[in-house]
């Protein structure tokens, strides 16, 4: 008998008990006189009884929907999702048997699946019971409707060998009691259908061993002590509202023979769990000799902030394109001249006009973005849709609050060598960073933080766009560039402190083959490795399992062409294995090349475009407490084409 | 190291809590724990600690992440050393809560739920004044039952609620409300707020906000 049922005091956990009562009434749990008695005790309290009715109603609605789908299938009323429906038809047969009408079923219909049909049949039954119990539990614990069970072919593979054995020993379809007992046994043994979770280790044990936080679980895990599930991150699509953003976006431009720019943004765990929009946005464009980048993060608490983010990026990039299209920097023949040119006076203006013009253009773009948002606010001021969505308040500019990070880049020839000129400007949080060709890190941003922890400023905040303030947030870079990265705080915070965290970020992108770099010769790599703890490439391969980990992604079911799991390397852990500091690794193409040798993040990743890989990586890497939307744009020197 | 939401439960375990009340409190803590464990955001953000006080104050559970948290055994008996509890709370916060620096993001402002059912038996006024002035945490105090003095608790913090009696059902409802508050806070801190203030869910019947 399951634990936690005997003691009447356990009724203090309404959820546990409600689950048991409801399952018991639906014959998903064995009968017992204790439950009857406990129910009598439990339902004495008005509050308890009300709670029962509330939860039972929800279960009722859910089950009705489930059977409805089955009947629609049987009566050919559905739209023909063949694979799924086949098994839904099973529900009706199951129901018939439940009611004892099994003998009316045509014999041949029972096994029309494949030669292992009998196993599959028991699998469906067991899975059905599992799914129903899990759904009921979820209804009781959470206020959201669980998704209807997935009975597609895909979800039943792979068939675990162990499980198949149990399925066979659980008895036949007709013997319902045995089936239910089997369910009980299974729960006690902590078995689930997922291959990955066939160990008896509960989530609790896993955490103790690793001393780190639980990975996102996609199925509720059962711990042997209680029936309550460990909270898992859900995936909910966004319900239709105005300006519904896509879950994610990725883009790239080839800038020259060996340099390109890629960018991606993804919806964070929190928004996926709540079914709300991604609040990030990015844009980039080339114009004349310039590359222009804009990244923005809408304020989480503001209703239309994602629209503010989008408008800000588009407006800024458009304005900068227009201002910089025919702008050329002066020719300077020596580095010395350039150093002088980049000096600023007391008012923080650049001494040289050609450079100062770029600063002015950046600030102009900031202000233009604000103007565009303001115009949009006026446009929707009288809209009833916006009014209703805004909790019955008229929209105002604060509801569109967003940060804005801008960067412009151009290549410069100086004394026969190519240099990269970058100018940045930032309002709000997030980060911009440049990595020198030789591997040194330059932070090109200073995040705003408001008075209190967790606060930041936005372009819509008071006085943020004052000239004096913007100049403080404008940074110049003039050096040969390995990579320029612009990101929202969803990424920046995960690599904090940013010095040297931004080097780890670049390292992670290289190690996971998101961006490909020129790999040195193997002999040269081994020579460099000899001076580290790992000695040679073979040792690096062996050590890889200590700096690489599997991650399950939180995805909607409709994304079938994306990997559900990825295998990611960590530069921080790689550095530990080599016993070398991160700075040294980033400076060394050999060490980076060694770390990046080996399998890609998932099978088939090399065939994808770099921005697709960036998108998957952004969507998959795990850092505890990191639930925000993630956006990253990188301009980098890659493999010579 | 990511930002954590530290949560301290400061619980009166004096003699008057013996019997049903202390059992209900134990179960309340247990229910709080398993309920929080169903929320993925709370799992990654909230860290819990329990401080008890009767004749002495003790931190019976140090600040721990939810998945590794072991429920402490609560035993009642003795006086009501609120002063000692407040001093210990200050010390624990000082020691355990991470401050923001160049190299690390600081923890979110801690949430403290303080519950007492009677008059303090030690000198507590200066410890209370210090807490109210320094505000190292968002403190919500609960005056449980007729023996508790909610106006006394107002000297510790502005946010005071009153439980009309110490019945198990009321204590259970109180802990449910505490759980909701923690969940709500852990969800809102993750957002970038233009105007962060802790907003608590409305208290259930039987719990009154003391104006």
């Amino acid at each position: 008998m399951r634990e936690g049922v005997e003691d009447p005091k356990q009724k203090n956990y309404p959820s546990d008990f409600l689950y048991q009562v409801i399952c018991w009434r639906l014959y998903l749990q064995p009968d017992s006189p204790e439950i009857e008695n406990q129910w009598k005790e439990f339902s004495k309290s008005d509050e308890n009884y009300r709670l029962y009715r509330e939860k039972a109603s929800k279960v009722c609605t859910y089950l009705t929907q489930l059977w409805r789908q089955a009947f629609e299938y049987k009566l050919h009323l559905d739209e023909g999702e063949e694979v799924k429906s086949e098994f839904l038809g099973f529900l009706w047969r199951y129901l018939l048997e439940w009611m004892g009408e099994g003998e009316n079923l045509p014999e041949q219909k029972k096994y029309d699946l494949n030669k292992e049909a009998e196993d599959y049949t028991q699998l469906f039954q067991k899975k059905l019971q599992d799914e129903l119990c899990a759904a009921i539990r979820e209804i009781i614990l959470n206020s959201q409707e669980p998704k209807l069970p997935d009975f597609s072919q895909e979800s039943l593979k792979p068939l675990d060998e162990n499980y198949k054995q149990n399925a066979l020993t659980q008895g036949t379809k007709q013997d319902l009691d045995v089936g239910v007992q089997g369910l009980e046994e299974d729960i006690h043994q902590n078995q689930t259908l997922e291959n990955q979770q066939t160990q008896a280790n509960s989530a609790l044990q896993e955490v103790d061993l690793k001393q780190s936080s639980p990975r996102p679980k996609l199925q509720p895990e059962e711990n042997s002590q209680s029936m309550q599930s460990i909270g898992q991150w859900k995936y909910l699509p966004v319900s239709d509202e105005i300006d519904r953003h896509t879950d994610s976006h990725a883009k790239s431009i080839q800038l020259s023979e060996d340099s390109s720019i890629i960018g991606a943004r993804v919806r964070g765990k929190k928004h996926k769990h709540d079914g709300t929009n991604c609040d990030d946005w990015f844009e980039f464009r080339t114009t004349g000799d310039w590359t222009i980048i804009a990244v923005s993060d809408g304020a989480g608490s503001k209703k239309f902030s994602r629209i503010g983010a989008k408008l800000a990026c588009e407006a800024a990039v458009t304005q900068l394109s227009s201002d910089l299209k025919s702008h050329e920097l002066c020719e300077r023949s020596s580095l010395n001249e350039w150093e002088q040119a980049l000096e600023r006076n007391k008012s923080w203006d650049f001494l040289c006009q050609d450079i100062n013009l770029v600063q002015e253009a950046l600030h102009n773009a900031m202000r233009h973005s604000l103007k565009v948002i303001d115009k949009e606010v006026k446009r929707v001021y009288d809209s009833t849709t916006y009014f209703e969505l805004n909790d019955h308040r008229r929209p105002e500019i604060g509801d569109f609050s967003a940060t804005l990070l801008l960067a412009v880049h151009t290549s410069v020839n100086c004394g026969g060598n190519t240099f990269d000129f970058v100018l940045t400007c930032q309002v709000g949080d997030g980060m911009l960073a440049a990595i020198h060709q030789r591997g040194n890190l330059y932070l090109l941003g200073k995040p705003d933080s408001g008075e209190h922890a967790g606060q930041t400023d936005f372009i819509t905040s008071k006085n943020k766009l004052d000239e004096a303030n913007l100049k403080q947030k404008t940074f110049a870079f003039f050096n040969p560039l390995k990579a320029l990265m612009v990101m929202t705080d969803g990424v920046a915070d995960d690599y904090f402190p940013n010095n040297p965290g931004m080097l780890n970020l670049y390292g992670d992108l290289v190690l996971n083959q998101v961006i490909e770099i020129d790999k040195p010769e193997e002999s040269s790599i081994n020579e460099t490795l000899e001076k580290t703890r790992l000695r040679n490439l073979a040792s690096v391969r062996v050590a890889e399992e200590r700096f690489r980990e599997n991650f399950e992604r939180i995805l909607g079911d409709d994304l079938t062409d994306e990997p559900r799991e990825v295998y990611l390397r960590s530069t921080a852990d790689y550095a530990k294995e080599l016993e070398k500091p991160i700075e040294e690794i980033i400076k060394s193409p050999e060490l980076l090349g060694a770390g990046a040798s080996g399998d890609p993040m998932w099978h088939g990743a090399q065939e994808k475009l770099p921005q697709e890989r960036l998108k998957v990586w952004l969507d998959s890497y795990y850092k505890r407490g990191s639930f925000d939307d993630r956006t990253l744009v990188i301009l980098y020197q890659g493999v010579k084409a | 190291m990511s930002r954590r939401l530290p949560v301290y439960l400061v619980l009166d375990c004096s003699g008057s809590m013996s019997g049903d009340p202390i059992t209900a409190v134990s179960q309340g803590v247990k229910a709080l724990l398993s309920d929080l464990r169903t929320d993925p955001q709370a799992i990654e953000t909230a860290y819990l600690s329990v401080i008890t006080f009767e004749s002495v104050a003790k931190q019976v559970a140090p600040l721990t992440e939810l998945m590794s948290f072991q429920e402490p055994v609560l035993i009642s008996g003795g006086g009501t050393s609120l002063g000692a509890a407040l001093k210990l709370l200050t010390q624990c916060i000082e020691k355990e809560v991470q401050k923001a620096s160049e190299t690390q993001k600081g923890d979110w402002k801690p949430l403290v739920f303080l519950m007492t059912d009677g008059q303090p038996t030690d000198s507590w006024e200066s410890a209370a004044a210090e807490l109210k002035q320094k505000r190292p945490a968002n403190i919500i105090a609960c005056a449980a039952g007729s023996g508790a003095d909610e106006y006394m608790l107002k000297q510790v913090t502005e946010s005071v609620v009153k439980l009309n009696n110490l019945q198990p059902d009321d204590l259970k409802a109180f802990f449910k409300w505490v759980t909701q508050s923690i969940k709500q806070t852990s969800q809102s801190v993750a957002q970038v707020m233009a105007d962060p203030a802790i907003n608590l869910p409305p208290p259930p019947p039987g719990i009154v906000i003391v104006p």
Side-chain angles (χ1 to χ4, degrees), chain A residues 12-13 204 207 214 228-233 269-270 273 300-301 453-456 458 493 496-497 622 624-625 627, chain B residues 2-3 27 30 34 37-38 40-41 43-45 47 65 67 102-105 108 172 187 190-194 196:
Chain A
N12 281 325
Y13 305 91
L204 280 172
V207 169
Q228 296 212 352
S229 58
I230 309 298
Q232 73 271 28
W233 288 100
K269 271 188 339 203
K270 178 170 165 63
H273 191 71
S301 52
Q455 245 191 327
T456 189
F458 306 100
D493 281 357
F496 188 88
Y622 175 83
R624 185 191 181 118
F627 334 120
Chain B
S2 71
R3 313 184 75 154
Q27 288 178 338
K30 199 165 175 188
S34 58
R37 281 178 177 158
T38 65
Q41 215 164 331
I43 289 177
E44 291 193 31
T45 320
Y47 277 60
E65 58 157 355
M67 297 311 291
E102 287 288 303
T103 50
Q104 69 183 14
K105 299 246 166 202
W108 302 104
K172 195 177 82 178
Q187 282 169 18
Q191 286 178 348
V192 169
M193 301 287 272

Side-chain angles (χ1 to χ4, degrees), chain A residues 178-246:
Chain A
V178 175
V180 172
Q181 246 174 51
L183 172 68
E184 211 183 274
E185 271 164 28
D186 263 4
I187 289 176
H188 276 297
Q189 288 161 27
N190 270 348
Q191 279 190 357
T192 66
L193 281 176
E194 292 287 340
N195 230 0
Q196 298 88 334
Q197 293 162 358
T198 50
Q199 280 89 12
N201 290 331
S202 65
L204 280 172
Q205 283 182 23
E206 199 184 303
V207 169
D208 276 332
L209 289 171
K210 285 195 166 186
Q211 287 177 342
S212 66
S213 41
R215 299 278 165 257
K217 299 270 182 239
L218 296 179
Q219 298 280 345
E221 286 244 331
E222 297 192 51
N223 121 16
S224 48
Q225 287 147 7
S226 89
M227 291 302 293
Q228 296 212 352
S229 58
I230 309 298
Q232 73 271 28
W233 288 100
K234 297 201 285 267
Y235 178 90
L236 292 177
V238 182
S239 51
D240 277 332
E241 282 180 11
I242 36 155
D243 260 348
R244 184 181 174 290
H245 282 188
T246 50

Side-chain angles (χ1 to χ4, degrees), chain A residues 10 84 127 532 615:
Chain A
Q10 297 298 315
K84 205 169 191 168
K127 183 166 171 65
T532 74
K615 190 189 80 173

